[in-house]
Amino acid sequence: MPTPPTAVAGRQRTARRVRWWLGRKALDELLGGHDPAETVRVLLGNHPVVTRATVQDGVDLLADRLRDHPRGLPAERWGLWLARVRNVGVGVGIVGFLGVFIAGFVLSVGSPSEDPFEALAGRLNPGMEMLGVVLIGVPLCVGILLVWVLSAWRWVIVLAEVRYAIRWSARRPGQASRGVPVADPFVGLGGVLMALAVMAWILAAIALWFALFALSDGDVWPLIWLITLGLGLLGWGLLRGRRALREMAAVAGAHLLLFGHRGGGLRLDAATSVQDGFLLVTQDPLPFIRKSWSASEERVVYPLTAGLPAHEVARRHDQVRNDDKDLRLVGDGQTTPLVTLEVPGSGQDNNPGHSLDTSSYSGGWMVARTRWNRRPAVIIVQDQPERFRTEVLPAFGDRHGLNLDDIEWLEPQQIPESDRWLEEWMPPRT
């Protein structure tokens, strides 16, 4: 069935946007196009797939990027600078506030005023008060603003990495058909626009409340109505932008970028594109009161990170601390390959409601029995169970936390294919 002309036109429009975001000159050179229309045609006809060779391309890309930018891409360096400004701003604000409170408390001792701030204000003239508010409030506000900016900055870095990878690929004949070994930045940027849209609508609702309150008193306040309308239209425009970014992600993922988007784990790039892991499922101590088996922890190893230099390993530890409170890197900041650990409620905020996502192990394989914290346990892998004993488990080094002498290797047994397999499944008795 032929594709409707409107759908074809829509994909071409989306491809032109991809070309603009990822660098028009570099993408034209990569795809061999002499004009935008030719580049779009070649892009939509390109269909790369992930293979061992293309993953090796990603390793080459990482090595060349470290050589060309040993201190990180400009966007990464800007991120570090913004993080320092954030830390200084928040630190100055908190220290200044505590200093004012302590000074006021000391002055309030034996003073008729029991309020430390009133006691301190009584010793200062209005000019000094205003100067204190500026010196404390401005850095604190800047620091708080940068907390949010840095939460979204990772996607700016991913976009910068993609643009570098496009230029890198343009220097390698045939790389376009093999695909550019980087992750998709558009889905994450769309999430940023979604957050901004929600904030705009919240502010619009607040402005509308003030406008209606003034109208009930007989005041019109045209400016507040214009602000309400403007914020509402801004939110609508941001949502349209999010939809466009999702369409760009679909086109770029199908025709150019290899690694797509990963919902959890380490940030997806050439070094973390390959991962192997296992799920440890333990028997509850009170099987007659609660369900018998539950997920205890998940370990994931990223074997391609074994060749990372020390500063790259340290940078990824920082990324984990900034990105995901429920994910931990096992080992110190110099040990490779990188291994992550996730257990229910183990995040830095000790969130008791967090639970492992076991749906990715649906249809997987039970490969071994063992004991964990004095309880019976089984080890489950997602696929290729025959590799686990000889290739995957040794990659964890001494950080997998299991006593190999206590592991009973089994003939691989497949578990049910269901998102709720853990509730429906029981390990066979020995």
Side-chain angles (χ1 to χ4, degrees):
M1 183 176 180
T3 306
T6 54
V8 173
R11 289 182 66 81
Q12 290 176 342
R13 182 171 59 253
T14 301
R16 286 194 294 272
R17 291 171 178 165
V18 170
R19 174 179 174 269
W20 187 88
W21 276 75
L22 299 187
R24 291 168 288 183
K25 182 178 179 180
L27 201 56
D28 289 347
E29 185 179 353
L30 172 63
L31 298 175
H34 302 289
D35 56 62
E38 178 69 10
T39 299
V40 167
R41 185 188 66 78
V42 175
L43 173 62
L44 294 179
N46 195 40
H47 298 281
V49 295
V50 178
T51 64
R52 288 188 177 273
T54 54
V55 170
Q56 182 59 48
D57 289 340
V59 177
D60 297 340
L61 169 62
L62 180 64
D64 289 344
R65 184 172 70 83
L66 293 175
R67 182 199 64 210
D68 296 342
H69 300 278
R71 296 175 53 243
L73 296 169
E76 293 176 293
R77 297 197 297 271
W78 271 98
L80 292 174
W81 184 83
L82 291 174
R84 295 190 186 103
V85 175
R86 173 203 60 192
N87 294 339
V88 169
V90 174
V92 167
I94 294 175
V95 171
F97 181 83
L98 291 176
V100 167
F101 182 82
I102 293 172
F105 179 79
V106 171
L107 292 174
S108 67
V109 176
S111 172
S113 172
E114 296 181 356
D115 189 329
F117 298 104
E118 290 183 5
L120 182 61
R123 302 292 185 93
L124 302 175
N125 59 52
M128 294 181 64
E129 288 183 31
M130 182 58 66
L131 180 62
V133 169
V134 171
L135 292 179
I136 295 174
V138 171
L140 181 60
C141 291
V142 170
I144 293 173
L145 175 63
L146 288 180
V147 168
W148 184 87
V149 171
L150 286 170
S151 69
W153 194 259
R154 60 171 295 189
W155 299 109
V156 177
I157 295 175
V158 174
L159 179 61
E161 290 175 341
V162 174
R163 292 171 69 92
Y164 169 83
I166 295 294
R167 297 191 298 271
W168 173 85
S169 299
R171 304 194 298 264
R172 293 164 59 99
Q175 191 64 53
S177 60
R178 293 159 66 90
V180 182
V182 286
D184 155 46
F186 299 120
V187 172
L189 290 171
V192 175
L193 293 188
M194 181 65 181
L196 289 173
V198 172
M199 291 173 60
W201 280 338
I202 291 174
L203 293 175
I206 295 173
L208 179 61
W209 183 86
F210 277 109
L212 294 176
F213 181 78
L215 191 62
S216 66
D217 290 340
D219 298 325
V220 177
W221 288 7
L223 180 60
I224 199 71
W225 287 100
L226 289 176
I227 292 175
T228 301
L229 178 61
L231 288 171
L233 291 176
L234 176 62
W236 176 79
L238 290 169
L239 277 190
R240 287 286 299 257
R242 175 178 177 266
R243 178 181 177 183
L245 286 173
R246 292 178 68 88
E247 292 171 351
M248 290 161 57
V251 169
H255 302 289
L256 187 64
L257 309 181
L258 282 179
F259 296 149
H261 177 72
R262 175 186 290 157
L266 298 183
R267 294 186 190 181
L268 181 58
D269 59 18
T272 61
S273 59
V274 177
Q275 59 180 11
D276 289 298
F278 64 87
L279 183 71
L280 196 68
V281 178
T282 56
Q283 188 174 33
D284 288 329
L286 301 174
F288 297 105
I289 299 177
R290 297 196 294 265
K291 63 180 182 180
S292 182
W293 294 82
S294 60
S296 180
E297 71 170 40
E298 181 185 26
R299 293 280 177 108
V300 178
V301 63
Y302 298 85
L304 295 184
T305 61
L308 290 177
H311 68 276
E312 278 290 306
V313 176
R315 183 170 70 89
R316 291 167 192 275
H317 276 264
D318 291 338
Q319 288 177 353
V320 169
R321 284 191 289 269
N322 292 329
D323 290 351
D324 194 337
K325 297 183 183 303
D326 295 318
L327 188 70
R328 296 204 306 251
L329 275 170
V330 183
D332 57 35
Q334 290 79 39
T335 307
T336 58
L338 296 177
V339 176
T340 61
L341 163 68
E342 187 174 2
V343 301
S346 69
Q348 295 172 4
D349 58 354
N350 196 25
N351 176 14
H354 175 69
S355 60
L356 292 177
D357 179 16
T358 59
S359 61
S360 61
Y361 288 85
S362 170
W365 300 83
M366 183 177 72
V367 296
R369 295 179 184 271
T370 186
R371 296 192 67 80
W372 183 254
N373 293 334
R374 300 180 180 179
R375 288 184 285 167
V378 295
I379 297 175
I380 296 175
V381 298
Q382 293 179 346
D383 53 20
Q384 298 182 329
E386 63 282 352
R387 291 182 54 242
F388 182 74
R389 182 175 184 175
T390 58
E391 299 180 33
V392 177
L393 192 59
F396 286 87
D398 59 356
R399 292 167 291 164
H400 51 71
L402 296 174
N403 186 345
L404 296 181
D405 295 333
D406 292 340
I407 292 181
E408 175 192 354
W409 298 104
L410 305 173
E411 186 70 24
Q413 302 173 36
Q414 191 168 19
I415 62 177
E417 293 189 14
S418 169
D419 288 343
R420 297 179 56 84
W421 65 268
L422 192 54
E423 289 81 1
E424 304 167 356
W425 172 78
M426 180 74 68
R429 295 181 181 274
T430 55

